[in-house]
Every structure is written in C-alpha cells, then in structure tokens.
Amino acid sequence: MRLAPVALFAVFSVPVAGYATPTVIVYQQLAAVEDDRDPNIAVQASMAQQLNEARKVRAVAWGSEDRLFQQWKAAGQAPNSKAPSITELQTVARAVKADYILVVTGVKSEGAANGGAMLYRPSGARPVWTDTKQFKAQVDGVADWQSAGMTLANTWRILLDQGPFKGLQASALPADDAPVTPRHDPVQPPVDPKNNDPVLPDKTKVLTSIQALMRQGLVTEAIVSLRRSIDTNPLEPEYRRLLVQLLLARGLRAEAADEAQRFASLSVANREFLLLAAEVWVELGDPSQAQSLLNDLRAREGNTALSQLAQAKVYLALDDMVKAEAAFRESIKLSPSFEAAMGLATLAAMQGNEPQMSQSMAEAGGLKPRDYDNTYRWAMAAIDRRMVTVSDMARDALQHATGRPRTPEAIAKATKLQAIAKGLAGFMRGVQPPSAHQKSHDLRRLAQDLLMQATSELANFASSGDSDMGAEATLSLGEALQYFARIREAMDQEFGGK
C-alpha cells in the first residue's frame, strides 16, 4: 500500500505576558460502525490527556466529563451533538472563548493505524496545522489499538509543541474547581459569532464556480481552486472527489490515486476513497496496487458489495474474466446495484455473449445508479482496451488465414472475433452516453462498426480463401485503428483537458 505523504503546515503562536493558558477543544471524528465492526482507534481522551500533562494548553475533550465542558453544557454553550461539523465546533469555540479546535481521526487498517489531525482557530476557515500518520500496530501478529491511539496522541503532542504551540510556556493549570480563563491573542481578537457566520464557504457555490471554470476549459484553474477549497475544508469529500476526477482528466493518474489514498487516511470517508484509489490504479494499469488496497479494506470490513465490485474490476484489468464474473455476481448477491449489473453486461460484451449482455443491461435498467457518469467512463475504458486486443487478434487471425485458409483453426479464430466485435457494437447501441461524452461515443461506435465489418470480412476470408476478401478485411481493420487515437483525444477534450 502506498503511504500518504505527511502534510505539515505550522503557524507559530507567541505567548503574551499576562494572558492565561490557551484552551483547546479536542474532538475525534469517528468512522461509521458497520456489521459490529468498529474501525475507530480511540485518540480523543489520550490527546487531551497528553496536552494537559504538557501544561502548555488546557485541553477539553468534546462530550467528556471534563469540568469545563460540563460548565459549557450547563450554560447552553455546548450542544449535545455527538458529531458536530467544523462550523459547529468553531461556533462553540467562539462562544466559550476557546483558542483552538483540534480535530483528530484514528482508523484501523489491516494491522496498521491511520491517523489525521487538524488544528483550527475559532475564526479561521482553514486549518493552521495538519498532519497524517500511518504505522503498523501489530505486536507478535496481534494489533494493539490502545497503544496505537496513545502513540498518535503522543506524536501529535510533540509536533504541536514544535509547531503551533512552540512559543507557549508550560504553566500550572488551574485547579479543577477553579474557572479556566482562556487566553485571547491580541493579534487575532475574539470575533462576534453573529458577524462571522458562516465560517466555511458554501459548498454549492464553490462547486458551481469550479464547474464554470471547467466549462470554459480552464481545468488548471479549477484544480488550483479545488486545492484552495480543500485547504479550507480538508474533510469535504465532494472537493476531493472532483479533484481526483480532474487529475485523471489531465493524465495525472498516479497523483489522483495518491490524493484519494491521502484522504482515505485522513477522513472518515475511508472506504469510499480507498475504493476510488483502487479504481484509479486499475485505470493506471497497476492492478497490483489496487489489489493491495482491496486487501487492506477487506481485512477491516470483510467482503462487501462495493469491495467485490472493485475486485471484479481488478480481475478484469488482469484479463481474468472468469474471476471477474464471479466477483460481479458476488457483489450483486450481497447488494444488487446498477454498477455491478453494468459490469456483467460489459464483461459479456467483451466475450461476445450477447444474450448475457442483454439480460444484464435489462437488470441494470431497473436499478438506480450511484454515479452513472463514472460507471459509463469505466465501461468505455474497458471496451476501448478490448477493442485494442481484438484488433491485435484480428491481425494475427488474418496472418493465420493467409497461410492456412479454409482450415478449422482459421475459421474458429475468425468466428470468435466476429462474435466479440458484434457484442461490443451491440453494447454501444444499448448504452446512453452522458451529454459530455457524446462526441467520443459517436467515434467509438464508428470504430466498432468498422471493426465488426473487418471481422465479418475476415470470417469470409478464412472460410473461402478469397484474397480480395482478405484485402478488404485488412483495409477495414486499418480504418478502425485510425479511430482509436481520435477517441482518446475526444475523451481528453470532454474531460476539459484541452
């Protein structure tokens, strides 16, 4: 598994004489517990304890029995929310005059601990410091998650002391029964919450502005804008998902996969982005990386419909169609989905199995897609790879038929290719392209019609030995091949790459 690089940005704080100990609200964002499997590593309590023992700040764990948190709650300043957003945390921090919010995550992953930490100011939209960590948590083959949580807390306490809290001096914290007076940095005075909401930019407006840039073909500018938005709100999956798509469009596939894996290590949307990274590695032509991520996910969650769907795509990339079909069917068995049904239809088309293709497409038609555009693009990428393979096989079959016309072997080779080409063309006729991909879709249909014509002429040549028919097959195949580069160019333009 590729490790996400550590992101470390520090904003240093200088203490001012006469100000009391800064207050930090510590909150752990938790991943969902599914099928009685808790993927979380307890970090929040250890983090607060470590900071309090260092005595540079007064740490208050969210929702804890901490005296100060209970005072906030009794005063109506801290809500009962167990899963507050960053905006809600900042609203509370301003109300209680806390100085920082520290958001941490800890997720189990195949014997490894993945942790993320982000430090916010109450009035700042983007974090002033972030860090991610990943390390093995096994001792003699047994994972020690309690120690892993303490290790994460201790590591971040040290890094905070070296970064944002570097200038703070250790001091005696107030007694448990005495009120804590938060320090206010005169450089960043307290802000009236009424005049400071919303803290984070509206997501819909951000995405609308980025889509506008994409429509103008300004993909580089869109990527830059997305990165700024991610700096502002690192835990927003929509920004990261769109960034991955744009990086793919620009051909930066390894960077896209790394981006997805980095977010998976930082966010509670761990499963979704591990699956996304796996699919990117499949597109990148590195199914071994994808398999590593799937093994990681399966070790934590077991077999799920989504992991089986991704596994099927890995098998298909490895050209193991038997295992790919079994994985698609297992995904459907666990939870029927449009994506898995279309996967079976794509696989059937690639094998020239028209009855199975038609059945699977009919089943897909009765299901609601999670992301139609993404499924379409994946299917077309698989079809394109198959067209290249078929064209290579056709050249081989032409050479074979030229040397041994009318032989059972020559006829069998040509007949098989004819069935596959017919299946691919039939699949294209049954698929409705997203409006953005109409041009490449039309080019692909033309290429497949020519490929079907070439394989039909090849079948006639193999059975008759007619050299004129062999020449026609060669000509049709050459014309089909000329479309392949045009299809790829059209796809790049449709993604906004040019």
Side-chain angles (χ1 to χ4, degrees), residues 118-165:
M118 289 156 289
L119 186 70
Y120 290 86
R121 282 282 196 177
S123 58
R126 61 178 66 180
V128 297
W129 174 89
T130 67
D131 184 62
T132 60
K133 285 288 175 283
Q134 183 183 63
F135 57 87
K136 290 295 181 183
Q138 290 184 326
V139 178
D140 297 328
V142 178
D144 184 351
W145 299 119
Q146 182 178 3
S147 295
M150 295 174 66
T151 298
L152 286 171
N154 184 59
T155 302
W156 288 328
R157 192 268 305 166
I158 293 171
L159 291 175
L160 286 165
D161 283 350
Q162 295 172 347
F165 301 161

Side-chain angles (χ1 to χ4, degrees), residues 337-376:
S337 69
F338 172 85
E339 288 73 22
M342 283 301 294
L344 275 179
T346 305
L347 182 62
M350 294 169 67
Q351 295 173 305
N353 186 343
E354 285 195 278
Q356 177 62 61
M357 178 191 71
S358 298
Q359 180 184 337
S360 295
M361 291 185 78
E363 291 173 357
L367 297 166
K368 183 179 180 180
R370 287 185 298 114
D371 187 339
Y372 183 86
D373 289 10
N374 184 58
T375 301
Y376 172 85

Side-chain angles (χ1 to χ4, degrees), residues 2 117 162 302 321 362 444:
R2 292 166 65 95
Q162 295 172 347
M321 296 194 179
R444 194 176 283 106

Side-chain angles (χ1 to χ4, degrees), residues 89-428:
L89 286 168
Q90 290 182 308
T91 299
V92 171
R94 293 194 299 271
V96 302
K97 296 181 170 55
D99 298 80
Y100 297 97
I101 305 101
L102 179 62
V103 179
V104 295
T105 63
V107 179
K108 305 169 187 175
S109 178
E110 199 181 26
N114 293 281
M118 289 156 289
L119 186 70
Y120 290 86
R121 282 282 196 177
S123 58
R126 61 178 66 180
V128 297
W129 174 89
T130 67
D131 184 62
T132 60
K133 285 288 175 283
Q134 183 183 63
F135 57 87
K136 290 295 181 183
Q138 290 184 326
V139 178
D140 297 328
V142 178
D144 184 351
W145 299 119
Q146 182 178 3
S147 295
M150 295 174 66
T151 298
L152 286 171
N154 184 59
T155 302
W156 288 328
R157 192 268 305 166
I158 293 171
L159 291 175
L160 286 165
D161 283 350
Q162 295 172 347
F165 301 161
K166 184 177 181 180
L168 300 178
Q169 300 298 319
S171 59
L173 296 179
D176 285 344
D177 58 350
V180 176
T181 304
R183 178 186 65 84
H184 301 305
D185 192 334
V187 178
Q188 297 188 18
V191 180
D192 182 356
K194 295 180 182 178
N195 298 325
N196 197 54
D197 289 326
V199 175
L200 297 177
D202 181 80
K203 182 176 74 173
T204 302
K205 292 181 180 179
V206 170
L207 293 175
T208 299
S209 67
I210 290 170
Q211 293 289 352
L213 290 172
M214 292 169 61
R215 284 195 297 272
Q216 298 174 57
L218 302 174
V219 179
T220 299
E221 290 78 0
I223 290 174
V224 171
S225 181
L226 269 174
R227 290 196 183 281
R228 288 173 181 165
S229 298
I230 289 170
D231 286 344
T232 300
N233 190 359
L235 295 177
E236 175 50 61
E238 287 297 322
Y239 297 161
R240 195 80 59 154
R241 188 182 297 108
L242 184 55
L243 176 59
V244 170
Q245 291 174 358
L246 290 181
L247 291 172
L248 286 173
R250 297 307 299 267
L252 303 172
R253 298 188 174 190
E255 187 174 341
D258 283 340
E259 194 69 44
Q261 286 178 235
R262 183 178 301 116
F263 189 56
S265 70
L266 182 67
S267 168
V268 296
N270 189 285
R271 177 210 297 176
E272 175 191 355
F273 279 85
L274 278 178
L275 289 169
L276 178 58
E279 292 196 7
V280 173
W281 283 119
V282 168
E283 289 189 36
L284 191 57
D286 193 346
S288 62
Q289 285 281 4
Q291 188 64 66
S292 175
L293 293 177
L294 289 177
N295 291 343
D296 178 16
L297 189 63
R298 191 173 291 111
R300 188 175 71 243
E301 298 190 358
N303 285 328
T304 66
L306 288 175
S307 65
Q308 283 296 323
L309 177 62
Q311 182 67 74
K313 293 178 179 180
V314 171
Y315 285 142
L316 196 56
L318 293 169
D319 205 30
D320 192 332
M321 296 194 179
V322 174
K323 288 184 178 180
E325 181 177 356
F328 278 130
R329 292 193 182 282
E330 180 65 19
S331 178
I332 291 173
K333 180 180 177 182
L334 291 168
S335 179
S337 69
F338 172 85
E339 288 73 22
M342 283 301 294
L344 275 179
T346 305
L347 182 62
M350 294 169 67
Q351 295 173 305
N353 186 343
E354 285 195 278
Q356 177 62 61
M357 178 191 71
S358 298
Q359 180 184 337
S360 295
M361 291 185 78
E363 291 173 357
L367 297 166
K368 183 179 180 180
R370 287 185 298 114
D371 187 339
Y372 183 86
D373 289 10
N374 184 58
T375 301
Y376 172 85
R377 286 191 289 267
W378 169 81
M380 292 305 104
I383 293 294
D384 288 349
R385 289 194 301 270
R386 189 60 168 168
M387 283 200 299
V388 172
T389 301
V390 169
S391 64
D392 290 340
M393 293 168 66
R395 280 193 292 259
D396 178 70
L398 270 169
Q399 189 175 21
H400 188 92
T402 300
R404 283 170 283 182
R406 297 183 295 278
T407 62
E409 186 179 0
I411 294 172
K413 281 177 176 286
T415 302
K416 178 182 178 181
L417 287 174
Q418 188 178 19
I420 295 174
K422 187 179 178 183
L424 294 175
F427 183 80
M428 289 300 298

Side-chain angles (χ1 to χ4, degrees), residues 56-71:
K56 286 190 172 186
V57 297
R58 169 67 161 94
V60 180
W62 181 267
S64 69
E65 295 301 316
D66 184 284
R67 171 189 57 81
L68 193 51
F69 188 85
Q70 293 304 312
Q71 289 181 6

